[in-house]
Amino acid sequence: QVQLVESGGDLVQPGGSLRLSCTASGLTFRGYGWAWFRQAPGKEREFVAAIKATSGNVYYGDSVKGRFTMSRDNARSTVTLQMNSLKPEDTAVYYCAAGRVISSSLSFPTSYNYWGQGTQVTVSS
C-alpha cells in the first residue's frame, strides 16, 4: 500500500519561512517523479514544484520561483519544500504527489498516481 505523508504546515507571518516534508512508503522512491501542488479555497490545484526521477532536475511554478526550493532524499524516501519569503497568497493546502511522468507533463495533476493527504499552510499577520 502506497502512502505519502506530508508534514510541516503551519501558520506563519508574511515574510516568514516554512519547511514541508513528504515521506513515502510502499513504492520504489527512486523510480518516481515527485511534485508539490497547492490548492486554495475556491481555486484549482496549482503546480508548485517537481523533481524528475532520472536527472533530479527541479522545476518551479512561476509564482514561487526564487522563493521555494524542492529537494529529495532517496535514502529517507522523503521530498521537502523549503518555502521562504512567504506571502498571503501562498496560503493553501499543500499536497505532495508521485508519478511516472514525462517532462512535458510535470505540472499537470493528472500525471501523478499517488497523493498525500495535504498539509495546511496559512500566511497571515
Side-chain angles (χ1 to χ4, degrees):
Q1 181 182 358
V2 176
Q3 282 193 314
L4 308 182
V5 179
E6 300 105 332
S7 62
D10 206 344
L11 170 64
V12 63
Q13 291 188 344
S17 297
L18 278 177
R19 185 178 179 89
L20 305 183
S21 295
C22 172
T23 300
S25 60
L27 53 68
T28 305
F29 185 84
R30 293 173 184 266
Y32 285 81
W34 293 86
W36 287 95
F37 288 82
R38 66 187 183 186
Q39 190 163 19
K43 294 189 176 181
E44 293 186 352
R45 194 159 293 193
E46 179 188 8
F47 171 71
V48 175
I51 189 165
K52 291 182 66 176
T54 51
S55 66
N57 290 342
V58 186
Y59 303 84
Y60 297 96
D62 289 341
S63 61
V64 306
K65 281 180 182 176
R67 300 188 298 123
F68 290 12
T69 302
M70 182 178 182
S71 61
R72 72 179 183 192
D73 183 337
N74 291 334
R76 299 187 178 189
S77 297
T78 298
V79 292
T80 60
L81 184 69
Q82 178 66 41
M83 306 186 295
N84 298 328
S85 302
L86 283 162
K87 305 175 182 179
E89 51 264 44
D90 294 318
T91 296
V93 177
Y94 284 70
Y95 299 91
C96 71
R100 298 188 185 274
V101 297
I102 59 176
S103 296
S104 60
S105 302
L106 284 170
S107 63
F108 296 98
T110 53
S111 299
Y112 296 87
N113 307 100
Y114 304 107
W115 292 82
Q117 82 288 351
T119 186
Q120 177 69 48
V121 172
T122 303
V123 185
S124 175
S125 55

